[in-house]
Amino acid sequence: MGMSVGGKRGVVSEMNVVPLIDILLVLLVIFMMIPVYSMGEEALIPQSSTQPPDQRVIDDVVVIQVLADGTLRINQEPIDFDKLGPRIEEIFKQRAARVAFIRGDQPVEFGVVAKVIDVMHTSGIASVGLLTPDLEKSF
C-alpha cells in the first residue's frame, strides 16, 4: 500500500497495521466468549466399586452377546435376531430397572451392534451399556 503525501519524500511504503490490530482484538474477544456459551453433552461414566459385587446383582444383569458369526445370545441362551425384541420385552416385563449390557466379539461389525441397540431401545430399555474385557474382569 502506498500513499502520496505532500513533501519531498514522495510515496510512503510502510504498511498501516492499525486496522489489522483492530481485527485481531475483535477476534480475541470472540474467542474469549465462545467457551462461556459452549456446553457439552452429559455422560454417565461408570464408577468402580471397592466392595465385592453382590451375587444377586450379578444374577439380575442381562447381557446380550453378539458373536463373530452374527448369532445372538441373551445370558448364554441362543436367540434369533427376529425374536430379540419380544424376548427382551418378556425379560423386562417384571423388572423395575431397565438396564442391559451388550458384549460383542472383536471382529463384530458396528452395524450389527447398532441394530441390537436399536431393538433394545424400541423394546423399552432405558439404558444400554457396552461391556469391554477390562470391565468384565471387575465382575
Side-chain angles (χ1 to χ4, degrees):
M1 265 195 241
M3 61 187 245
S4 176
V5 290
K8 297 180 182 177
R9 289 181 55 198
V11 177
V12 177
S13 62
E14 295 177 4
M15 187 172 178
N16 188 2
V17 294
V18 174
L20 297 177
I21 293 174
D22 291 342
I23 293 171
L24 178 68
L25 290 175
V26 168
L27 289 174
L28 181 65
V29 169
I30 289 172
F31 285 116
M32 286 175 58
M33 295 299 292
I34 287 176
V36 175
Y37 294 110
S38 66
M39 292 182 61
E41 294 290 325
E42 291 185 24
L44 301 175
I45 301 172
Q47 303 295 323
S48 60
S49 175
T50 57
Q51 300 174 353
D54 184 13
Q55 187 63 31
R56 181 183 53 82
V57 173
I58 291 175
D59 292 338
D60 287 343
V61 173
V62 176
V63 178
I64 298 174
Q65 289 179 294
V66 182
L67 302 177
D69 59 357
T71 59
L72 300 174
R73 292 184 180 187
I74 298 179
N75 290 344
Q76 302 298 329
E77 176 187 325
I79 190 163
D80 293 330
F81 189 80
D82 55 342
K83 297 178 183 175
L84 180 63
R87 179 70 177 128
I88 290 174
E89 291 174 4
E90 179 184 330
I91 290 172
F92 285 101
K93 190 184 322 179
Q94 301 295 328
R95 297 183 186 208
R98 295 187 165 268
V99 177
F101 294 96
I102 296 178
R103 178 184 352 185
D105 286 346
Q106 277 291 54
V108 172
E109 293 184 21
F110 176 74
V112 176
V113 176
K115 287 178 185 177
V116 172
I117 292 173
D118 186 43
V119 169
M120 292 172 74
H121 280 293
T122 305
S123 299
I125 305 300
S127 181
V128 177
L130 298 176
L131 287 178
T132 61
D134 295 333
L135 185 61
E136 288 184 67
K137 289 179 187 175
S138 67
F139 283 118

